[in-house]
Amino acid sequence: VLPEKRTLKLLKSHNINVNWYMYCPESAVILLSTTVLENVLQPFYFRAGTMSKLPKFEIELPAAPKSTKLSLSERDIAMATIYGQLYVLFLRHHSRTSNSTGAEVVLYHLPREGACKKMHILKLNRTGKFALNVVDNLVVVHHQDTETSVIFDIKLRGEFDGAVTFHHPVLPARSIQPYQIPMAGPAAVTSQSPIPCKLYSSSWIVFQPDIIISASQGYLWNLQVKLEPIVKLLPDKGRLMDFLLQRKECKMVILSVCSQMLSESDRATLPVIATVFDKLNHEYKKYLDAEQSYTMAAEAGQSRSNPLLRRPVRTQAVLDQSDVYTHVLSAFVEKKEMPHKFVIAVLMEYIRSLNQFQIAVQHYLHELVIKTLVQHNLFYMLHQFLQYHVLSDSKPLACLLLSLESFYPPAHQLSLDMLKRLSTANDEIVEVLLSKHQVLAALRFIRGIGGHDNISARKFLDAAKQTEDNMLFYTIFRFFEQRNQRLRGSPNFTPGEHCEEHVAFFKQVFGDQALMRPTPF
Amino acid sequence: MAAAAGAGAGAWAAQEKQFPPALLSFFIYNPRFGPREGEEENKILFYHPNEVEKNEKIRNVGLCEAIVQFTRTFSPSKPAKSLHTQKNRQFFNEPEENFWMVMVVRNPIIEKQSKDGKPIVEYQEEELLDKVYSSVLQQCYSMYKLFNGTFLKAMEDGGVKLLKERLEKFFHRYLQTLHLQSCDLLDIFGGISFFPLDKMTYLKIQSFINRMEESLNIVKYTAFLYNDQLIWSGLEQDDMRILYKYLTTSLFPRHIEPELAGRDSPIRAEMPGNLQHYGRFLTGPLNLNDPEAKCRFPKIFVNTDDSYEELHLIVYKAMSAAVCFMIDASVQLTLDFCRRLDSIVGPQLTVLASDICEQFNINKRMSGSEKEPQFKFIYFNHMNLAEKSTIHMRKTPSVSLTSVHPDLMKILGDINSDFTRVDEDEEIIVKAMSDYWVVGKKSDQRELYVILNQKNANLIEVNEEVKKLCATQFNNIFFLD
């Protein structure tokens, strides 16, 4: 089609005997039914003005009694994109001769290149009239007789027999939630109460992927999946997580699942909680890795050469630490009735899971752990965690430890250790030492790292004076006089250093003659 | 001439014979029990050796009591700690009010042959370090308390009679395990050796412990050890300290691994025959398949200062990893429970133990030979009781083998007493005999002792070496210069 010239140009033509055809606009593939049995399907793929022929494939028909004609009906075939892949769905009816349990939906995977393969079979375990929809990567099969629908997720684990995976419905069959149609009539007539739409009526026509038309009432519906009710219906939390993580609008539901499994009434066991955390962090890590490789490639300038390189999209399934912290953990920790052993165990499981996937733990999680431990006076536990570096070093953490010193004296030592390991916290170390009146230690430390030329004399002299130890004051004062001599050639302090009162104090205690004499060059 | 254990050195042709310090007597008394004349015998709660005549016992106890009373007038707050005489040294300890424990140690002796063939006995008074043996005495009480509770509690439960029974039963055995000739600086510390681990494995162990405590929900406290070193303690520090000493010096050495035992060893026959995992009980039922197996576990007393808890001690081991489960003593432990514990803990602990082993080997390979203990040092942190020694090679109940001359160990002890006198941070450098330098460093509740052997080294070089050691081996902690 050439829209600007408003003409059609014949590009290519093929000669095939066709019974019927089906076109999927999403993937630009047309399926032609050939042969007498109508079950050999020939796909063609349209792209960029060309039409390429894909290898044809045959659909196995169920054995039928001799009276009925065996053929593949167009109504039993649907094409849909599930998880980014094109599938041909064949609704295989119950064959009365064999001992099959019921109808099935057979999924044939149609790749861009290569042959079509039978990949999945969705077991329906019933017979009758069915209709198919695909919503949010889920296959929804409507059963008219029971007026219910079942959902299948092909990414959930099924039974694999070496060639094909058999799937069972995610949940027992339920009906579509009825919708109340507001009736709008002429303004003169009082508005009637809304009438429910007729579900599963025989006047329904189903279109891919998620369209249902109820011809009798004149409405066109989009089918949607509601996730919240599923939470209560799937007891296996691992399977529930697997299911939710594949859905589009899953974030809040997943967070509510996490909150619920930590609640007093519905408490899950630690192994289950650990599994859930692991699944979440698996997704999170996948996203982080994709981000990182994109950033590295972009920085290396490859984005221009490789047009396929796109910034990874963050789906709702990616729950990072701030999500979990804000929505789940902070409320969980506040609950008074929780046994503290369980609270700590859950926090440690989350941290372990993050570590297992090599995700750097954010400092607010560490703070949460420390606060909880302090709250319950579990200081020895805290000490051991710090000893083994479970809580990674950070300046905020070191400051938090310092503040705990009045409750737990070893916190001072732990905090100094952490500051030293941080190696960017020398100023803080000096402050800590000075606050403990360890003036000499602070000075020696600064000298050891070579920063003694830059420190403020006044700060140290103030601290020395506060100790009321005159000999200490003398020592510190002398040190700075020597520093002045070395830097400026004279032992006197510059006005900018604001040490006048200390000079006066020194003269008062030790006398004028104790002041250092300037040595001439 | 370095004799770390055993009496006598060399052949009879040697001029000198050395006798190490030995326990002369040990007694416990309470002066309140026999304040009046004629009742002195009631004061004595325990006396070793028991064969000594009654009057002599009373005399010895009376002497100690008198000395303590007398010295109290000069120092009301700090009672006498020891009495030095030429032949022996007496150590006093008052662990609970009015209950006194006294240990009398014979000074080490050198027997020389004089010119006229008569042996001359020379008592070496200065060789014994007060602090070392005072600490040993304190540990005697702590160990007693771990297994029997406090003296006061025994009095409440059954009066003097019960207390005397318990003391007799415990100390009779315990005193035989005291090896006074090999006590040194480490006894002063009473520290715990921690097993070095990376973060991930540590978190896995935490996860394991939490899950075990959840499944066996009657467990109150847990401790996890690997290779005789502590990784995690759910008990408070003071209790863990003495439990650790018990585990490493008494319980673990008694149970060598069946895998190490020979094929015909009787230990192998006792194995329950469970090939799925290597877990087994070190305390409690030996054979879970035997329906008559007794489920008796040793009882320990912890938190005696506040909540005073009596607990069953279950020690369960798989390969080199050992877990201690402590359960309230009021709970009856049945064979079913033991079987359940075995089935839950055994497989997971086996997997965990091999994980730890693998991780440890990886770490050792990565750090390579730089971490080889070229330096002989002892490190101790008063805050978390962590101790590390490259001098002591193996801690067995009988002997603590040190690779340095005992004189050097004595110098370490002297430096330590110097440290305890002052609160501030200190560094002391001592030149010992023949090219040995000993450096002691104290910084904010941590003590480090280094022994260097360098020919013709001077003070500055020694200082530099120690600084290098601090930078490489201890770069994780803050050592003040």
Side-chain angles (χ1 to χ4, degrees):
Chain A
V1 177
L2 302 159
E4 55 286 351
K5 288 194 195 163
R6 297 185 189 244
T7 55
L8 295 168
K9 192 165 114 176
L10 177 65
L11 286 174
K12 209 166 175 189
S13 68
H14 280 270
N15 272 333
I16 308 178
N17 278 338
V18 178
N19 299 318
W20 46 264
Y21 74 93
M22 183 168 288
Y23 180 66
C24 175
E26 248 181 329
S27 44
V29 171
I30 187 170
L31 216 53
L32 305 171
S33 156
T34 61
T35 75
V36 174
L37 291 174
E38 303 183 38
N39 64 342
V40 176
L41 300 176
Q42 174 69 65
F44 282 92
Y45 171 49
F46 297 93
R47 188 170 81 111
T50 60
M51 182 168 138
S52 35
K53 195 169 173 182
L54 294 174
K56 61 184 172 192
F57 61 97
E58 181 179 329
I59 295 207
E60 290 164 23
L61 292 171
K66 293 218 179 75
S67 53
T68 57
K69 181 163 159 275
L70 184 68
S71 71
L72 182 65
S73 153
E74 184 187 346
R75 271 177 314 173
D76 294 333
I77 291 286
M79 284 168 71
T81 312
I82 308 178
Y83 291 120
Q85 300 288 324
L86 181 61
Y87 285 90
V88 178
L89 293 91
F90 169 48
L91 183 61
R92 194 158 177 235
H93 292 288
H94 168 74
S95 81
R96 271 166 280 249
T97 50
S98 67
N99 48 0
S100 65
T101 50
E104 319 174 311
V105 178
V106 185
L107 268 73
Y108 290 83
H109 176 226
L110 196 57
R112 283 284 153 78
E113 283 110 28
C116 180
K117 234 174 25 146
K118 181 160 72 166
M119 289 283 265
H120 302 278
I121 295 186
L122 315 176
K123 295 201 91 64
L124 296 169
N125 288 332
R126 52 187 65 171
T127 62
K129 282 197 167 156
F130 297 95
L132 286 174
N133 273 131
V134 174
V135 184
D136 198 7
N137 291 322
L138 293 169
V139 179
V140 185
V141 185
H142 312 291
H143 187 217
Q144 190 182 44
D145 299 338
T146 58
E147 296 199 357
T148 59
S149 311
V150 285
I151 304 178
F152 291 88
D153 185 348
I154 58 172
K155 264 216 173 147
L156 281 183
R157 243 181 322 181
E159 299 144 20
F160 186 61
D161 71 352
V164 176
T165 316
F166 290 84
H167 294 272
H168 289 276
V170 174
L171 296 169
R174 297 177 97 76
S175 93
I176 302 177
Q177 185 181 34
Y179 191 89
Q180 305 282 17
I181 310 174
M183 287 304 290
V189 180
T190 50
S191 53
Q192 296 164 305
S193 54
I195 56 169
C197 67
K198 232 162 104 55
L199 293 172
Y200 300 98
S201 73
S202 37
S203 68
W204 266 19
I205 309 173
V206 169
F207 280 95
Q208 298 308 318
D210 59 348
I211 298 174
I212 301 175
I213 295 180
S214 59
S216 58
Q217 290 178 309
Y219 279 91
L220 185 147
W221 307 98
N222 276 108
L223 193 62
Q224 283 180 345
V225 175
K226 281 175 75 169
L227 291 175
E228 292 86 9
I230 297 177
V231 169
K232 293 204 189 62
L233 298 171
L234 260 189
D236 181 347
K237 297 265 186 289
R239 202 168 156 83
L240 176 62
M241 272 297 140
D242 284 336
F243 178 77
L244 288 175
L245 283 169
Q246 302 297 330
R247 310 278 77 81
K248 258 201 299 249
E249 304 283 325
C250 55
K251 185 159 175 158
M252 296 318 289
V253 182
I254 293 182
L255 288 171
S256 79
V257 170
C258 292
S259 298
Q260 196 199 27
M261 83 180 168
L262 298 176
S263 70
E264 180 68 23
S265 46
D266 252 332
R267 210 169 93 178
T269 61
L270 282 177
V272 170
I273 295 175
T275 314
V276 169
F277 283 151
D278 282 343
K279 287 192 197 289
L280 289 180
N281 287 327
H282 181 72
E283 283 298 315
Y284 182 32
K285 178 71 176 165
K286 268 199 324 205
Y287 170 71
L288 283 178
D289 281 345
E291 265 279 327
Q292 197 187 31
S293 46
Y294 170 77
T295 325
M296 280 187 355
E299 278 168 19
Q302 286 175 17
S303 54
R304 264 175 261 128
S305 54
N306 188 353
L308 287 174
L309 197 67
R310 260 170 301 138
R311 198 195 179 91
V313 171
R314 183 176 161 159
T315 60
Q316 280 210 13
V318 174
L319 273 85
D320 65 6
Q321 293 171 65
S322 76
D323 292 326
V324 177
Y325 176 78
T326 324
H327 294 273
V328 181
L329 292 178
S330 49
F332 168 62
V333 167
E334 293 298 318
K335 290 207 193 122
K336 294 262 183 281
E337 66 275 6
M338 273 294 159
H340 63 260
K341 255 192 189 179
F342 180 64
V343 174
I344 311 265
V346 168
L347 290 173
M348 294 317 292
E349 277 296 341
Y350 188 55
I351 291 182
R352 175 206 57 81
S353 179
L354 287 170
N355 265 298
Q356 190 168 317
F357 290 96
Q358 292 163 331
I359 304 172
V361 183
Q362 296 293 326
H363 71 91
Y364 45 78
L365 284 176
H366 291 314
E367 265 174 34
L368 196 60
V369 173
I370 293 186
K371 284 205 193 99
T372 315
L373 289 172
V374 169
Q375 215 179 0
H376 294 108
N377 288 330
L378 296 167
F379 290 109
Y380 190 43
M381 213 164 159
L382 172 63
H383 198 137
Q384 291 184 74
F385 283 162
L386 286 165
Q387 197 179 322
Y388 277 97
H389 307 304
V390 165
L391 309 168
S392 353
D393 302 335
S394 71
K395 269 197 209 175
L397 228 53
C399 295
L400 180 59
L401 283 173
L402 275 179
S403 64
L404 293 174
E405 196 192 338
S406 48
F407 301 112
Y408 187 60
H412 173 77
Q413 192 190 68
L414 291 165
S415 158
L416 270 181
D417 287 345
M418 189 178 284
L419 287 172
K420 173 168 184 239
R421 284 194 297 265
L422 284 171
S423 74
T424 53
N426 297 323
D427 292 335
E428 281 80 357
I429 296 180
V430 171
E431 291 300 326
V432 171
L433 290 171
L434 285 180
S435 69
K436 290 245 146 212
H437 304 301
Q438 291 176 309
V439 191
L440 269 182
L443 205 49
R444 276 206 212 99
F445 169 71
I446 278 284
R447 190 176 63 178
I449 57 173
H452 51 283
D453 283 344
N454 304 326
I455 48 177
S456 143
R458 189 200 165 86
K459 195 157 67 164
F460 281 79
L461 288 169
D462 279 344
K465 187 129 166 285
Q466 270 179 0
T467 65
E468 293 180 2
D469 178 351
N470 283 344
M471 281 324 295
L472 180 63
F473 183 80
Y474 182 90
T475 316
I476 303 291
F477 191 86
R478 183 59 93 229
F479 171 79
F480 282 108
E481 279 192 316
Q482 286 170 340
R483 182 181 83 157
N484 291 337
Q485 174 75 40
R486 196 166 33 87
L487 292 180
R488 287 188 287 266
S490 142
N492 302 325
F493 292 96
T494 64
E497 285 179 300
H498 301 291
C499 296
E500 293 80 19
E501 62 172 271
H502 293 298
V503 178
F505 177 74
F506 185 87
K507 277 199 252 193
Q508 177 203 345
V509 174
F510 298 104
D512 252 347
Q513 61 275 19
L515 283 174
M516 203 163 131
R517 298 267 165 269
T519 52
F521 276 106
Chain B
M1 253 194 357
W12 275 99
Q15 293 288 80
E16 293 183 356
K17 212 159 73 157
Q18 272 198 341
F19 291 95
L23 182 69
L24 278 183
S25 63
F26 184 97
F27 47 90
I28 304 177
Y29 70 91
N30 186 335
R32 292 285 171 84
F33 290 172
R36 287 189 292 271
E37 284 269 346
E39 280 186 354
E40 290 90 358
E41 202 189 342
N42 298 339
K43 281 188 265 187
I44 305 177
L45 298 167
F46 173 79
Y47 199 100
H48 164 86
N50 216 357
E51 308 78 51
V52 167
E53 202 212 321
K54 187 179 83 175
N55 282 329
E56 185 171 334
K57 286 189 197 175
I58 296 177
R59 252 207 318 273
N60 286 333
V61 171
L63 176 65
C64 292
E65 199 186 328
I67 289 178
V68 168
Q69 270 303 104
F70 176 64
T71 53
R72 216 193 275 270
T73 54
F74 299 102
S75 166
S77 54
K78 286 202 222 164
K81 282 246 125 119
S82 66
L83 174 70
H84 297 209
T85 61
Q86 186 201 24
K87 292 193 188 170
N88 56 32
R89 199 174 286 196
Q90 306 196 15
F91 298 96
F92 311 118
N93 184 24
E94 189 186 10
E96 296 177 38
E97 204 178 351
N98 290 319
F99 285 95
W100 288 87
M101 293 170 74
V102 180
M103 184 167 79
V104 184
V105 179
R106 193 197 60 213
N107 288 336
I109 294 174
I110 292 186
E111 202 177 80
K112 293 201 190 111
Q113 297 282 351
S114 73
K115 287 191 267 291
D116 42 356
K118 266 201 294 223
I120 296 180
V121 168
E122 194 179 293
Y123 287 95
Q124 298 191 294
E125 263 182 60
E126 293 313 309
E127 290 296 313
L128 280 188
L129 285 168
D130 261 6
K131 268 214 102 199
V132 172
Y133 295 96
S134 285
S135 306
V136 172
L137 183 58
Q138 275 171 354
Q139 226 170 50
C140 289
Y141 170 71
S142 300
M143 196 64 91
Y144 166 82
K145 193 175 75 150
L146 181 69
F147 288 104
N148 293 284
T150 58
F151 294 154
L152 277 175
K153 198 76 176 27
M155 294 287 297
E156 283 170 28
D157 287 343
V160 181
K161 185 160 169 293
L162 181 64
L163 178 60
K164 279 189 180 176
E165 270 172 26
R166 285 190 183 168
L167 289 172
E168 175 69 42
K169 193 165 137 199
F170 179 79
F171 280 108
H172 185 73
R173 244 184 333 139
Y174 186 70
L175 290 176
Q176 288 167 11
T177 65
L178 281 184
H179 293 270
L180 296 177
Q181 64 270 28
S182 53
C183 294
D184 60 16
L185 186 66
L186 284 186
D187 289 285
I188 302 181
F189 294 148
I192 302 175
S193 186
F194 284 91
F195 186 76
L197 262 188
D198 63 293
K199 189 157 64 161
M200 192 60 228
T201 320
Y202 186 79
L203 283 170
K204 271 201 238 171
I205 295 177
Q206 272 294 305
S207 183
F208 164 79
I209 292 176
N210 287 331
R211 290 183 207 199
M212 292 301 111
E213 285 191 354
E214 191 186 42
S215 312
L216 312 159
N217 54 4
I218 51 175
V219 170
K220 235 175 166 181
Y221 304 105
T222 320
F224 193 101
L225 295 94
Y226 186 83
N227 222 8
D228 286 5
Q229 289 173 292
L230 185 66
I231 291 181
W232 164 257
S233 162
L235 278 182
E236 284 302 313
Q237 225 178 48
D238 283 333
D239 291 321
M240 193 61 226
R241 188 185 212 169
I242 192 69
L243 181 63
Y244 176 79
K245 185 150 171 78
Y246 165 68
L247 290 173
T248 50
T249 55
S250 175
L251 188 65
F252 289 154
R254 261 191 281 146
H255 295 83
I256 56 172
E257 293 299 309
E259 297 95 62
L260 298 174
R263 200 173 302 183
D264 300 322
S265 158
I267 295 179
R268 263 209 184 273
E270 281 172 4
M271 276 293 281
N274 188 347
L275 294 169
Q276 288 168 340
H277 62 84
Y278 286 105
R280 62 205 179 97
F281 284 90
L282 289 190
T283 61
L286 274 173
N287 189 347
L288 287 170
N289 295 326
D290 177 9
E292 299 293 313
K294 293 209 183 61
C295 275
R296 259 208 318 257
F297 297 96
K299 297 242 184 26
I300 59 172
F301 293 80
V302 298
N303 283 331
T304 48
D305 284 337
D306 43 351
S307 44
Y308 205 95
E309 297 162 48
E310 187 180 346
L311 307 164
H312 293 287
L313 175 68
I314 302 180
V315 183
Y316 188 85
K317 192 164 181 188
M319 307 204 299
S320 297
V323 194
C324 302
F325 294 108
M326 282 156 267
I327 300 178
D328 201 83
S330 55
V331 175
Q332 273 287 22
L333 295 177
T334 61
L335 192 60
D336 267 342
F337 173 76
C338 296
R339 287 206 184 113
R340 209 178 108 219
L341 194 149
D342 184 67
S343 63
I344 296 177
V345 179
Q348 291 196 39
L349 187 60
T350 310
V351 170
L352 199 56
S354 55
D355 273 349
I356 299 174
C357 184
E358 199 181 301
Q359 202 57 43
F360 180 61
N361 286 332
I362 293 177
N363 285 342
K364 219 160 62 164
R365 249 182 286 133
M366 275 193 337
S367 58
S369 59
E370 13 159 313
K371 289 267 175 89
E372 271 306 318
Q374 294 150 348
F375 291 100
K376 290 200 197 311
F377 66 88
I378 296 180
Y379 163 82
F380 179 67
N381 184 350
H382 285 273
M383 286 286 167
N384 64 354
L385 305 178
E387 76 177 16
K388 187 167 170 193
S389 166
T390 55
I391 294 178
H392 295 81
M393 289 181 305
R394 208 165 34 99
K395 266 210 150 164
T396 67
S398 57
V399 135
S400 186
L401 292 173
T402 58
S403 57
V404 298
H405 199 278
D407 282 350
L408 287 172
M409 291 305 296
K410 210 190 138 289
I411 295 178
L412 293 185
D414 283 331
I415 298 180
N416 172 267
S417 358
D418 214 54
F419 281 163
T420 49
R421 275 209 305 252
V422 199
D423 224 2
E424 285 151 18
D425 299 341
E426 266 189 39
E427 185 175 295
I428 297 180
I429 304 184
V430 174
K431 181 165 192 321
M433 64 287 186
S434 65
D435 288 335
Y436 275 107
W437 289 80
V438 179
V439 180
K441 211 167 138 88
K442 180 174 126 146
S443 164
D444 187 30
Q445 303 290 325
R446 291 185 163 119
E447 297 181 28
L448 175 68
Y449 302 90
V450 186
I451 297 180
L452 296 167
N453 187 0
Q454 283 186 330
K455 271 199 142 32
N456 302 324
N458 60 28
L459 198 61
I460 299 179
E461 284 172 23
V462 167
N463 203 12
E464 285 302 313
E465 280 291 314
V466 173
K467 273 210 182 111
K468 240 194 323 179
L469 171 67
C470 288
T472 51
Q473 292 265 358
F474 297 103
N475 56 358
N476 268 341
I477 58 181
F478 186 66
F479 252 131
L480 284 168
D481 273 324

